[in-house]
Amino acid sequence: MLPLPVSHPQQRFFYDKVAIRDGRILSALRSRARITNLGLLLLFSLAFFSLMLNVNVWIDTTPGLPKSILSTLSGDTTAENIDHLIVVPGHAIWNGASAENRLNESLWTLEPYQRNSGRIQAFYQHIAHASKLSLQDKHSLVVFSGGQTRRETTTTEAESYMRLAMQANLLPHDFIRATTENYALDSHQNLLFSIARFHEYTGAYPVRITVVGYEMKRKRFADLHRVAVRWAEHRFEYIGIDSDDLQENDIAQEGEMKTYMETSNDMYHCHSQLLQKRKNRNHHRRYHPYHTSSPELSELIEWCPVEGSMLYNGMLPWIE
Ligand SMILES: *[C@@H]1O[C@H](CO)[C@@H](O)[C@H](O)[C@H]1NC(C)=O
């Protein structure tokens, strides 16, 4: 049925009726009313109850850990005095079972350029040196960092490094001040994600950071990756150990110079080549939990300026 024209008498009558009724409602609303103290009390307690319910819902939905996750975490206080993060960036994946064969290349998943290069020896030295440091400093946590970066393996760089450290008795088997960071896809993430993992593990952010890696990457870590996360220079140390193979080091150095240039133009690795590297390493489509466990780092993790060298300028837990 078509709607009636506005001029239709019945319609006008309807509007008139509403207008009259409105007038009455208005005057009814404005007239004084009597209410017993009991009535008032009931109304107030209803309002109070409703307010509390709202506050409760609001607290439950503020960002942070969902209850189902939080309820599985014990309030372990052994991590309380830990404030020194030792990072070991991973470079490959060890598939061996016995540390005696740690220098057998066929037990490592390596990139072609990593073969016959003395690099495995350097990886092992990174692991050994960081383990030694962590045993010396009771306030440290060593974080082996690196994701499942190769298609043909079932494990992560980090897990394999830590397993090797334990197999080689570099760390006691019940050692609690060592853990893995299983998601980093490059050096920038090795640093940033290890800080997030430190927070996930200890409940606090580190005060000092030591990175144990290739000497040839010192400049990149100290001048670029550290600066990108705005970590203070005086709280940062880099310990560099290269392969003994000098010829190999020259070749690696060339590659490093190229990556240094790329990084200085794309500090957060979120454009072209550096982003492509991350994609190429993420065959297993994994992603990290740090938005959940360190929501205060979310903005930094997502920071991707059009001008790639522009530094993150938002809030950070370690900037006073
Ligand atoms: C290295 O490991 C492979 C695979 O287990 C084995 O066949 C080979 O004999 C090992 N090489 C040496 C020198 O131990």
Side-chain angles (χ1 to χ4, degrees), residues 12-48:
R12 197 186 299 148
F13 175 68
F14 174 75
Y15 280 118
D16 287 352
K17 225 164 102 183
V18 169
I20 292 162
R21 212 197 293 143
D22 266 0
R24 278 191 201 143
I25 289 171
L26 209 63
S27 66
L29 283 173
R30 290 163 78 175
S31 70
R32 286 170 172 278
R34 282 160 188 263
I35 183 164
T36 60
N37 286 333
L38 178 67
L40 199 67
L41 188 73
L42 281 174
L43 284 176
F44 266 114
S45 34
L46 193 69
F48 180 75

Side-chain angles (χ1 to χ4, degrees), residues 101 103-107:
N101 304 321
L103 297 182
N104 183 338
E105 282 196 355
S106 56
L107 298 175

Side-chain angles (χ1 to χ4, degrees), residues 22 34 46 75 77 86 133 183 188 227 233 281 302 306:
D22 266 0
R34 282 160 188 263
L46 193 69
T77 53
I86 301 171
L133 280 183
Y183 298 93
H188 171 75
V227 171
E233 195 173 5
R281 290 169 182 165
E302 293 307 304
V306 177

Side-chain angles (χ1 to χ4, degrees), residues 21-80:
R21 212 197 293 143
D22 266 0
R24 278 191 201 143
I25 289 171
L26 209 63
S27 66
L29 283 173
R30 290 163 78 175
S31 70
R32 286 170 172 278
R34 282 160 188 263
I35 183 164
T36 60
N37 286 333
L38 178 67
L40 199 67
L41 188 73
L42 281 174
L43 284 176
F44 266 114
S45 34
L46 193 69
F48 180 75
F49 178 72
S50 157
L51 184 77
M52 283 296 109
L53 202 68
N54 274 299
V55 167
N56 218 16
V57 167
W58 177 76
I59 287 172
D60 270 2
T61 53
T62 39
L65 287 182
K67 215 178 269 174
S68 63
I69 295 176
L70 200 59
S71 61
T72 62
L73 303 174
S74 66
D76 192 351
T77 53
T78 43
E80 246 170 29

